[in-house]
C-alpha cells in the first residue's frame, strides 16, 4: 500500500503544481498589464467627480487661454493681416495689440468652457472605450469641447479680426456696428468655416498631445515635468497649425469680408482665392501661424497641466487618498 500512497501523492502534487505555477505566473502578468495601461486610465479605480473635473477644467482652461493670448497676440495680428491681404497688399505693423482687451474678454470664457467640457468628456470616454481606442476618446472629446466653445469663440474671433485689420477701434463699437449693419448673424460670420477649421484642429491637437504624453509616460515610467509637457504641446500645436492653415485662411477671409460679401460661402471662397491668387494663397500666414500656435501650444499645455496639478493638490481628499495608497 505504501507504493500506492506514494504514487497518489506524486500525482496529486503534479496535478496541483501547474495550477499553482500558473497562478504565480499569471499574477505578475496581470499587474504588468494593469501598469501598462495605467497612463490611459489613471482614474480607473477612483470615483469620477464630474462637477469637480468641470470646475477645475474651467479654471485651468481660462488661466492657460489668457496667458497664451496676451503673450502671442502680436504674432496673431500679423498672421491675420497676411491672410486678409488680397493679392500683393502691404502689411501694416502698427497697432499689433489692437483689440486685445476685448479679445481676452472672450478668450477667458471660451478657453474655460472648452477645457471644462473636454476634461470630463475625456474621462468619461476613457472609461467607456477600451484602452487601444484612447485616441478616439481624445479626438471625440476635443471635437465636443471645440463645438461648445465655438458659441463664444466665433463672435470673439469676428470682433478681434475686424479690429486687427483696422475696421474698428474698440470692441464695444465693433459689436454695436456689426450688429446694426449685419444683424446678430454678423457676429457669427464664417461660423461654418470656423467649425471646419477648429473642430479638426482641436481634435487633432489634443489627440496628438495626449497620445504623445501617454507614450512618453509609458517609456519613462514616470509623470511628465512642466518643460516636457510644454515641449510636447509645442510639437502638437505646430504640426496641427501647419496642417490646418488652408482652413484658417478660408475662415479669415469669410470673417473679415463684412457686408461686402466678396465670397458666397466656403466653396466659393476657395475657388475665388485659387482663381485670383493661385493655390499657394491658401497657405498665406503659415509661418506666423506655426510659430504662434507652436509657442502657444507650449505655453498653453504647460500652464494647463501646472494649474490642473495645483488644483488637484488642493482637493480635500488628496491627502487621504495618498495615505491609503
Amino acid at each position: 500500500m505504501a507504493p500506492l500512497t506514494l504514487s497518489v501523492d506524486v500525482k496529486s502534487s503534479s496535478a496541483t503544481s501547474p495550477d499553482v505555477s500558473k497562478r504565480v505566473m499569471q499574477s505578475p502578468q496581470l499587474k504588468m498589464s494593469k501598469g501598462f495601461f495605467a497612463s490611459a486610465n489613471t482614474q480607473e479605480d477612483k470615483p469620477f467627480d464630474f462637477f469637480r473635473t468641470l470646475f477645475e477644467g474651467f479654471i485651468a482652461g481660462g488661466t492657460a487661454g489668457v496667458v497664451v493670448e496676451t503673450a502671442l497676440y502680436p504674432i496673431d495680428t500679423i498672421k491675420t493681416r497676411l491672410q486678409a491681404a488680397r493679392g500683393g497688399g502691404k502689411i501694416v505693423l502698427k497697432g499689433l495689440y489692437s483689440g486685445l482687451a476685448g479679445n481676452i474678454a472672450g478668450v477667458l470664457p471660451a478657453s474655460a468652457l472648452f477645457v471644462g467640457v473636454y476634461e470630463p468628456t475625456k474621462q468619461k470616454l476613457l472609461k467607456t472605450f477600451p484602452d487601444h481606442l484612447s485616441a478616439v476618446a481624445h479626438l471625440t472629446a476635443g471635437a465636443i469641447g471645440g463645438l461648445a466653445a465655438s458659441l463664444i469663440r466665433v463672435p470673439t474671433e469676428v470682433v478681434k479680426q475686424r479690429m486687427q485689420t483696422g475696421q474698428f477701434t474698440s470692441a464695444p463699437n465693433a459689436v454695436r456696428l456689426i450688429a446694426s449693419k449685419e444683424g446678430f448673424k454678423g457676429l457669427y460670420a464664417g461660423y461654418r468655416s470656423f467649425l471646419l477649421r477648429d473642430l479638426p484642429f482641436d481634435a487633432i491637437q489634443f489627440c496628438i498631445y495626449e497620445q504623445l504624453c501617454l507614450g512618453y509616460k509609458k517609456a519613462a515610467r514616470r509623470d511628465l515635468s512642466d518643460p516636457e509637457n510644454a515641449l510636447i504641446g509645442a510639437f502638437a500645436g505646430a504640426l496641427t497649425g501647419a496642417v490646418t492653415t488652408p482652413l484658417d485662411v478660408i475662415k479669415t477671409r469669410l470673417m473679415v469680408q463684412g457686408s461686402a460679401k466678396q465670397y458666397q460661402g466656403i466653396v466659393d471662397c476657395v475657388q475665388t482665392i485659387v482663381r485670383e491668387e493661385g493655390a499657394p494663397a491658401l497657405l498665406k500666414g503659415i509661418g506666423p501661424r506655426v510659430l504662434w500656435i507652436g509657442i502657444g501650444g507650449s505655453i498653453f499645455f504647460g500652464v494647463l497641466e501646472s494649474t490642473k496639478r495645483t488644483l488637484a493638490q488642493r482637493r480635500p481628499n488628496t491627502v487621504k487618498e495618498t495615505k491609503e495608497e
Side-chain angles (χ1 to χ4, degrees):
M1 294 296 293
L4 180 61
T5 302
L6 286 172
S7 64
V8 171
D9 288 341
V10 170
K11 288 180 179 180
S12 176
S13 62
S14 64
T16 57
S17 58
D19 293 334
V20 174
S21 63
K22 284 181 181 178
R23 293 192 197 103
V24 174
M25 293 298 291
Q26 287 175 353
S27 180
Q29 288 177 351
L30 288 174
K31 290 181 180 178
M32 288 175 64
S33 176
K34 186 177 180 181
F36 181 80
F37 292 114
S39 57
N41 290 315
T42 53
Q43 305 293 330
E44 185 175 1
D45 297 324
K46 296 180 181 180
F48 175 57
D49 191 336
F50 174 83
F51 291 104
R52 179 173 291 278
T53 305
L54 181 69
F55 172 75
E56 291 180 355
F58 269 109
I59 300 299
T63 302
V66 169
V67 171
V68 171
E69 196 68 20
T70 303
L72 302 179
Y73 196 79
I75 300 177
D76 182 39
T77 300
I78 294 172
K79 183 269 302 181
T80 298
R81 291 176 181 176
L82 281 170
Q83 292 179 342
R86 305 188 68 182
K90 295 182 179 180
I91 306 301
V92 179
L93 296 180
K94 293 182 180 180
L96 296 182
Y97 273 99
S98 177
L100 175 62
N103 191 53
I104 286 180
V107 167
L108 176 59
S111 298
L113 182 59
F114 175 86
V115 181
V117 171
Y118 172 79
E119 284 294 332
T121 303
K122 177 187 74 173
Q123 296 295 338
K124 187 66 176 178
L125 291 176
L126 286 175
K127 290 177 179 293
T128 304
F129 291 171
D131 296 288
H132 66 278
L133 292 180
S134 62
V136 178
H138 294 137
L139 280 169
T140 305
I144 292 174
L147 184 61
S150 69
L151 298 176
I152 302 175
R153 280 179 175 175
V154 174
T156 302
E157 192 82 356
V158 169
V159 172
K160 178 192 75 172
Q161 294 194 334
R162 300 281 181 93
M163 293 185 66
Q164 287 176 330
T165 53
Q167 297 183 35
F168 303 104
T169 56
S170 69
N173 285 337
V175 173
R176 180 174 57 81
L177 291 174
I178 290 172
S180 62
K181 291 182 178 180
E182 305 171 42
F184 180 76
K185 66 179 182 179
L187 293 170
Y188 283 88
Y191 183 71
R192 286 183 293 179
S193 64
F194 183 90
L195 293 182
L196 180 66
R197 182 203 69 172
D198 268 42
L199 294 191
F201 179 89
D202 291 330
I204 295 171
Q205 182 186 30
F206 274 78
C207 180
I208 292 175
Y209 172 77
E210 297 277 12
Q211 291 298 307
L212 287 177
C213 285
L214 292 178
Y216 194 101
K217 286 180 182 179
K218 289 177 183 178
R221 297 184 179 181
R222 61 174 175 80
D223 290 332
L224 276 63
S225 64
D226 288 340
E228 290 168 334
N229 284 323
L231 184 61
I232 294 175
F235 177 79
L239 179 61
T240 310
V243 171
T244 57
T245 295
L247 302 178
D248 190 45
V249 172
I250 296 167
K251 184 269 309 176
T252 299
R253 293 291 182 93
L254 290 173
M255 281 188 168
V256 302
Q257 67 177 337
S259 56
K261 295 298 180 183
Q262 298 166 328
Y263 309 108
Q264 304 301 318
I266 296 173
V267 175
D268 179 63
C269 182
V270 174
Q271 292 175 341
T272 303
I273 291 173
V274 173
R275 183 177 63 252
E276 296 181 357
E277 305 171 52
L282 292 172
L283 294 178
K284 275 190 172 183
I286 187 172
R289 177 172 168 80
V290 169
L291 176 64
W292 166 55
I293 298 180
I295 299 174
S298 174
I299 298 173
F300 182 86
F301 286 107
V303 174
L304 179 69
E305 297 296 346
S306 178
T307 307
K308 284 165 58 178
R309 185 173 60 254
T310 300
L311 292 172
Q313 291 171 350
R314 293 178 177 272
R315 292 176 185 172
N317 60 344
T318 300
V319 177
K320 294 181 180 179
E321 289 179 358
T322 304
K323 289 182 178 179
E324 291 176 358
E325 291 175 357

